Amino acid sequence: MEDVVREADLDLRELLSIPYLLEAEAVETGAGRWLVRLAYPELPDCTAEGLVVEEVLQALERRRVELIVDLFEQGKEPPIPRPPLAGADPLWAIRALALPERIAVILEGAAR
């Protein structure tokens, strides 16, 4: 794929602004009992499930951010299937998701 961008060209803010495909499905866990399962299939082990769509999406976003930050801190490249969104604000999302402040500090440092 020609449009794929390499991590060496991207800082953490940009990595967190990459749009990933979102898969959603309802999963029957028993007679008349259902769960919502969401996943970013382009990211390893990035899934969440539960009863309330909004809560599951929030959990999935937390997982996505934590996974990308962990990979970044380890010097590893997360999957980069497409360029980052220019108008994305990952700092806002990190605060809205109540993620650890250390992630916001890393992002604020990248913005300088």
Side-chain angles (χ1 to χ4, degrees), residues 57-59 61-65 92-99:
L57 184 56
Q58 196 171 40
E61 279 299 296
R62 274 193 208 99
R63 175 73 184 124
R64 179 187 69 84
V65 170
W92 174 86
I94 285 164
R95 292 205 167 113
L97 293 169
L99 285 159

Side-chain angles (χ1 to χ4, degrees), residues 1 4 6 9 12 15 25 27-28 30 49 51 59 61 65 68 70 73 76 81-82 84-85 98-99 109-110 112:
M1 183 188 297
V4 174
R6 304 300 297 167
D9 301 324
L12 182 58
L15 291 172
E25 64 181 324
V27 179
E28 189 171 17
E49 61 181 37
L51 297 173
E61 279 299 296
V65 170
I68 291 171
D70 287 347
E73 289 180 327
K76 296 181 181 176
R82 58 199 57 81
L85 298 172
L99 285 159
R112 292 182 187 139

Side-chain angles (χ1 to χ4, degrees), residues 45-110:
D45 301 318
C46 199
T47 62
E49 61 181 37
L51 297 173
V52 180
V53 173
E54 292 83 357
E55 292 172 3
V56 176
L57 184 56
Q58 196 171 40
L60 181 65
E61 279 299 296
R62 274 193 208 99
R63 175 73 184 124
R64 179 187 69 84
V65 170
E66 291 169 345
L67 175 68
I68 291 171
V69 170
D70 287 347
L71 289 170
F72 181 80
E73 289 180 327
Q74 295 170 23
K76 296 181 181 176
E77 181 177 284
I80 304 172
R82 58 199 57 81
L85 298 172
D89 182 7
L91 187 57
W92 174 86
I94 285 164
R95 292 205 167 113
L97 293 169
L99 285 159
E101 187 62 25
R102 72 177 183 79
I103 297 174
V105 170
I106 294 168
L107 277 179
E108 287 171 339

Side-chain angles (χ1 to χ4, degrees), residues 17-28:
S17 298
I18 294 171
Y20 290 96
L21 296 177
L22 174 66
E23 288 182 349
E25 64 181 324
V27 179
E28 189 171 17

